[in-house]
Amino acid sequence: MGITRKRTIWLIWIIVTVSISSYYLYRLNSNDKRAFLPGPTSHGHHQIEMACGACHTVAFGGGPVLQAACVHCHGPALKAENDSHPKSKFTDPRNADQVKQLDARHCVTCHVEHRPEITQAMGVTVTTDVCYNCHADIATKRPSHKGMAFDTCTSAGCHNFHDNRGLYEDFLDKHLDEPDELDMYTSHDLDTPVRYTQHPGYPLQHYPLHALTRNNADAPDDKLAQAKSDWFTTSHTKAGVNCSACHLQKSKASETARWTDNPDYKACQQCHAYQVKGFLAGMHGMRLGQGLTPMTPAMAEIPMKQDAAHKTLTCTICHGAHQFNTQHASIDACLGCHTDKHTLAYKRTAHYKLTTKADITISCATCHMPRVRHEENFEKFIAVEHNQNANLRPNEKMLRSVCMNCHGLGFAIDALADPALIENNFFGQPAKHVRSLDMARQHLKQHKMKIKQ
């Protein structure tokens, strides 16, 4: 090989190496680091795919590191759901044979990121017949399951690997033969301002329950007349929460509190700690929870309105800066960004028609951010769940917290099992039927016959 040819090859190699290095160096210093991802991220995590450290807490960490990251975010939810397949079941030596079939001691056995070719709904990479690994003889133990295909186990209204409470026979028996629509609409009433100040963590020493007047507003600029007027109509004035409570904040660089025109979610967190915790765990705020820039509708993987593409999603984008209108936050704020078929169909449904009545509200938030009873530090309270993922995946989670407030269990299960009905925002009747209640009814009948004998 001639000297000239060798030099040419070396020159090409240098140029290619420098070009590739420059490209990745540019990507590393830019806001878009997707070039470093081994593959696309699932729908549930794509908002934080640039926060690699959220899962990979230790560089080149293996299974234990990823497991710790999964439990850090999802552990509380599994505990609250009374996990049907907890880790303890698979670490029990008596179940060693099951571990060989499915090593459910590790979340990544079923939930693997960056593998779009095998990722199904909700980011689950496990096969649809996974139940067969341990329950191949289910038809023998339960004749009612005879002839059922193993890819139907996890269908809506049937089994959920982590929470089977909705299929417990005593639960099904309790709700047999309920009408499609219940006589009464049930909803938890939110706590009054007096009751709210008793919640764990509420800074009562700073904001005693002492009503303020319009003249008490301590905003420094007289030009904020409209903001002060809006503030005066809210429950904040009744709880003694003045303008400075939100706008006077300490920065990282200084311990001295300074006035800020645009306070962030941390100002809300002082009093609404539980709601902010849910917000930071849900799709709207999970980027902020990982130290990234706020989410914008342009980042979403579902259809959004073009004119809302660059809104930054914070607490006030939905609730407003001074009026904190919950009616606006529960309907209009959602319709202001979302433009998928499910959302667009809302205003023609019976749910929306009920909302026009003074005494009933069935809004977007009623289903996706329901009012839930909680207990923290032995203190019971009612709060809006701001983490949409809490009852969205799988959607059967909505049964107890949402659907059964208005509908019978059988109707609710069938409705959630019908993809077309969901797309139409439940405008019409279910075209699907899940046999869970039928099976429970038959089992109960057989049980009563045995007792008579």
Side-chain angles (χ1 to χ4, degrees), residues 45-262:
H45 291 148
H46 82 278
Q47 290 291 346
I48 57 172
E49 63 184 9
M50 291 296 96
C52 303
C55 297
H56 304 278
T57 55
V58 178
F60 305 107
V65 171
L66 293 177
Q67 179 66 16
C70 296
V71 173
H72 175 72
C73 291
H74 300 284
L78 292 176
K79 183 178 180 181
E81 289 173 1
N82 191 24
D83 191 0
S84 304
H85 293 80
K87 182 180 178 181
S88 58
K89 176 177 287 190
F90 295 90
T91 54
D92 189 328
R94 292 171 295 182
N95 295 327
D97 58 326
Q98 295 182 359
V99 174
K100 292 180 180 179
Q101 301 296 327
L102 182 72
D103 191 359
R105 296 172 300 176
H106 308 288
C107 301
V108 293
T109 298
C110 299
H111 305 278
V112 182
E113 282 292 350
H114 311 301
R115 298 286 301 279
E117 70 279 5
I118 59 173
T119 300
Q120 300 176 31
M122 300 175 287
V124 181
T125 57
V126 70
T127 58
T128 54
D129 61 351
V130 64
C131 302
Y132 185 82
N133 290 315
C134 300
H135 303 283
D137 59 347
I138 188 64
T140 302
K141 294 181 178 180
R142 290 181 176 271
S144 59
H145 286 61
K146 188 175 181 179
M148 291 187 177
F150 276 97
D151 60 357
T152 64
C153 302
T154 57
S155 301
C158 290
H159 300 283
N160 172 14
F161 185 88
H162 290 296
D163 184 1
N164 278 321
R165 284 178 298 169
L167 268 294
Y168 289 172
E169 289 179 1
D170 58 348
F171 177 76
L172 295 175
D173 292 345
K174 182 180 178 181
H175 297 282
L176 288 176
D177 303 316
E178 287 182 335
D180 292 351
E181 295 184 15
L182 303 180
D183 292 335
M184 291 185 61
Y185 164 65
T186 304
S187 178
H188 298 309
D189 291 328
L190 291 177
D191 292 338
T192 63
V194 175
R195 181 74 176 82
Y196 196 78
T197 59
Q198 300 172 9
H199 292 177
Y202 184 86
L204 188 61
Q205 67 276 21
H206 297 299
Y207 313 122
L209 192 63
H210 177 68
L212 300 173
T213 66
R214 191 186 304 268
N215 296 328
N216 288 139
D218 59 3
D221 195 338
D222 292 336
K223 296 180 181 180
L224 299 177
Q226 184 60 51
K228 293 178 182 179
S229 179
D230 291 342
W231 161 80
F232 183 70
T233 63
T234 69
S235 58
H236 286 157
T237 57
K238 299 177 183 178
V241 180
N242 216 316
C243 305
S244 59
C246 300
H247 288 276
L248 206 60
Q249 293 186 334
K250 294 180 181 179
S251 64
K252 293 182 179 180
S254 174
E255 287 296 319
T256 303
R258 295 184 179 182
W259 183 273
T260 176
D261 290 337
N262 299 299

